[in-house]
Amino acid sequence: MRIATGCISHETSTFTPVVTPRESFFARYGAVYGTAIIEKFRGTNSPTGGFIEGAEAHGFELIPTIFAAAQPSGPAPRVVFDDLLDELLTGIAAAGTIDGVLLELHGAMVAEGVDDGEGHILAAVRDLVGPATPIVVQLDIHSSVSQRMVEMADVLIGRESYPEVDMAARGRECADVLVRILTQGVRPTMALHRLPMIWGMNQVTAHPPMNAAIAELHRIEAQPGVVCGSIATGFPLSDVPDMGSSVYIVTDNDQVLAQRYADELADWIWERRADWQLTMPSTAEALASAEAAGRYPVIFADRNDNTGGGSPGDSTGLLRTFLAAGLTDACVLYITDPAAAAQCHAAGVGATVTLDVGAKSTTLQGEPVRMTAEVLACSDGHFHFDGPMFAGLTGEMGPSAHICQDGVHVLLTTNRGQPFDTAFARTLSLDPRQMRYIGIKSAAHFRAAYEPWAGAIHVVSEPSVHSAETVTFHRLGRKLYPFDQDVAR
């Protein structure tokens, strides 16, 4: 069996000022094409790593084309989107006769003039390979799944964990299902149920109530005739018609059964719609609660300035609160500020610098904070992830620095990124595990590495381009809960 594979992945915020040039698709892992993809991703916790594992286990030939994965940011220019798609199609065509296609996509990609990036990509691939060649796709849990995606692919498989520590496992599942189609005669029939709902921040799969939703999904997946199923919580920062939550179920040659189970799971989720919402206090409010509880170290996760959602990563609400409270043994991970990082590099380790930190991308991110701090460490930003997320891969934060003022430590970076683990901080002589108060620019992915030793975690809201007061939708075309309480299904 000869299977073509490729990746064009981007989670797109239509509200962020962060642009998405072509080079952003290759900033994380370099320009990786062809067999270099196998070498780069073999043994890694990534969907493509799972494809490779599946190919080696089943003995099929995996023919890699392009790997382009940008950090979450604004819509890509149409010329960039078209060029990447052309490279994917050219690579698949150059593979010659193939038996199937495995794709790593996100599920919430928007480009200029293209509201449904994945639907557009899948339609182009389908047109190239024809109706008989199976296409199996691995998607993020935060996908906004469209009917076009379901129609153009044979099987979509979404991740089942948040933090998304099952990337390789879901990639391997894609490979396993594709082999069943090709060798066991499985005929996938897929049904989608789009919920009129935006999933709130209660979606960490290790905890209630979200673990119950995953358990219900697994119950349905275990039923006779069901091949696989997925819950997509949606990506709530894209103002496009398909934005929202959904479920999709794949059966073996039984469309009616697939739709019945999709509807059943959707009904179960809808009945509990209030459970998925989470009220987020300010850092100052959460700090007061944390001090009263006395469980340390305590983590404050700034959901709004989560670079994993496309935010600039330079809001100053967390930092300003920490300094105003006179905290010590405190740190902020990370503030994206190339100018401040460069100033630290110019001054050198051991120097005391006065600099304006953060809020340089837009005034919606707050105001810069004037700091007089000691430069404790500098680096080029290169590091290796410890895992469990992205285990085996490298990260590139660009010129970075560790500064400290009155017991508040700040890591300044040039490139945007989430603190998926403590590896990068340790390259700058900061071990977050030794801190009492930890501010993090992340919604939930940090939990995979931080939650096992954290005393308490508070998801907080600070002014940002993604604050509820800032984000206004115009193109949804339908009512969505909880924006609208009177939604009819």
Side-chain angles (χ1 to χ4, degrees):
M1 293 182 292
R2 304 180 75 248
I3 308 299
T5 187
C7 168
I8 300 176
S9 180
H10 187 229
E11 186 176 55
T12 308
S13 165
T14 60
F15 301 101
T16 183
V18 182
V19 298
T20 311
R22 177 183 170 85
E23 52 265 28
S24 66
F25 283 90
F26 304 101
R28 300 177 78 173
Y29 308 116
V32 192
Y33 291 89
T35 57
I37 294 173
I38 305 291
E39 298 166 7
K40 181 78 172 181
F41 292 97
R42 177 184 280 115
T44 64
N45 186 15
S46 65
T48 295
F51 297 164
I52 297 167
E53 178 187 333
E56 293 173 344
H58 293 292
F60 63 76
E61 180 184 0
L62 192 64
I63 306 165
T65 57
I66 178 177
F67 193 96
Q71 289 274 17
S73 50
R78 182 61 182 268
V79 65
V80 171
F81 177 79
D82 287 344
D83 284 349
L84 294 174
L85 177 55
D86 183 66
E87 291 182 55
L88 173 66
L89 297 174
T90 298
I92 295 174
T97 302
I98 59 172
D99 299 293
V101 180
L102 287 169
L103 294 177
E104 177 183 339
L105 305 177
H106 185 281
M109 184 176 191
V110 180
E112 291 179 352
V114 181
D115 289 338
D116 177 12
E118 286 78 11
H120 190 99
I121 291 169
L122 288 170
V125 173
R126 175 60 70 199
D127 185 60
L128 174 65
V129 303
T133 302
I135 301 171
V136 180
V137 185
Q138 208 292 290
L139 296 174
D140 194 282
I141 195 172
H142 299 110
S143 297
S144 294
V145 180
S146 69
Q147 187 61 42
R148 191 184 194 194
M149 291 165 63
V150 170
E151 292 170 355
M152 293 296 107
D154 291 272
V155 178
L156 303 173
I157 297 179
R159 296 170 205 160
E160 297 178 0
S161 67
Y162 185 52
E164 294 167 43
V165 296
D166 64 337
M167 291 181 284
R170 296 286 75 73
R172 172 62 190 270
E173 183 182 2
C174 288
D176 294 345
V177 169
L178 180 57
V179 168
R180 290 177 63 192
I181 295 170
L182 295 172
T183 66
Q184 299 176 20
V186 169
R187 297 177 60 186
T189 41
M190 184 161 48
L192 172 70
H193 188 125
R194 296 178 64 218
L195 286 150
M197 181 182 84
I198 296 176
W199 210 294
M201 283 305 301
N202 262 348
Q203 52 181 286
V204 176
T205 51
H207 303 306
M210 191 64 185
N211 59 355
I214 299 301
E216 183 66 11
L217 168 65
H218 289 169
R219 184 191 68 79
I220 289 175
E221 285 187 302
Q223 300 307 306
V226 176
V227 176
C228 57
S230 302
I231 294 172
T233 61
F235 182 63
L237 296 171
S238 287
D239 188 12
V240 294
D242 287 314
M243 192 276 279
S245 308
S246 62
V247 300
Y248 45 102
I249 303 295
V250 181
T251 55
D252 184 4
N253 197 31
D254 194 334
Q255 187 69 46
V256 173
L257 184 66
Q259 193 64 62
R260 177 162 71 82
Y261 279 131
D263 295 344
E264 180 181 318
L265 180 56
D267 288 345
W268 188 96
I269 290 169
W270 179 254
E271 289 170 3
R272 295 159 177 81
R273 57 192 175 276
D275 294 346
W276 318 123
Q277 308 305 315
L278 179 70
T279 300
M280 296 180 292
S282 68
T283 307
E285 292 167 335
L287 178 59
S289 297
E291 298 282 42
R295 296 191 296 271
Y296 303 99
V298 56
I299 295 175
F300 303 92
D302 185 356
R303 178 265 182 191
N304 294 343
D305 199 33
N306 171 26
T307 57
S311 194
D314 68 345
S315 77
T316 52
L318 273 171
L319 174 59
R320 194 176 298 277
T321 301
F322 280 16
L323 291 171
L327 302 183
T328 58
D329 294 325
C331 65
V332 176
L333 313 175
Y334 321 113
I335 291 184
T336 305
D337 191 333
Q343 187 175 344
C344 293
H345 275 253
V349 175
T352 297
V353 293
T354 298
L355 66 174
D356 292 323
V357 174
K360 296 188 174 76
S361 60
T362 168
T363 56
L364 294 176
Q365 295 286 99
E367 296 294 331
V369 175
R370 174 62 60 92
M371 297 184 68
T372 298
E374 181 182 0
V375 181
L376 298 181
C378 292
S379 80
D380 62 3
H382 180 82
F383 70 102
H384 297 273
F385 287 104
D386 285 341
M389 286 195 67
F390 298 114
L393 292 172
T394 58
E396 301 288 347
M397 301 302 292
S400 303
H402 171 190
I403 62 173
C404 182
Q405 173 185 305
D406 299 330
V408 176
H409 300 255
V410 181
L411 295 192
L412 302 169
T413 70
T414 295
N415 301 333
R416 295 179 308 126
Q418 291 185 69
F420 293 111
D421 55 38
T422 64
F424 173 63
R426 297 197 316 272
T427 67
L428 286 166
S429 302
L430 176 65
D431 185 352
R433 290 169 294 188
Q434 304 305 313
M435 296 287 105
R436 188 174 175 88
Y437 307 92
I438 304 167
I440 282 181
K441 302 300 185 75
S442 177
H445 283 323
F446 71 92
R447 287 178 180 264
Y450 287 73
E451 190 164 27
W453 49 266
I457 295 174
H458 297 265
V459 180
V460 300
S461 174
E462 293 292 341
S464 168
V465 297
H466 290 153
S467 300
E469 298 78 15
T470 303
V471 172
T472 303
F473 293 91
H474 301 284
R475 305 188 57 235
L476 299 180
R478 59 187 177 131
K479 290 185 175 182
L480 293 176
Y481 178 89
F483 293 166
D484 303 284
Q485 295 292 316
D486 60 340
V487 177
R489 292 184 62 212

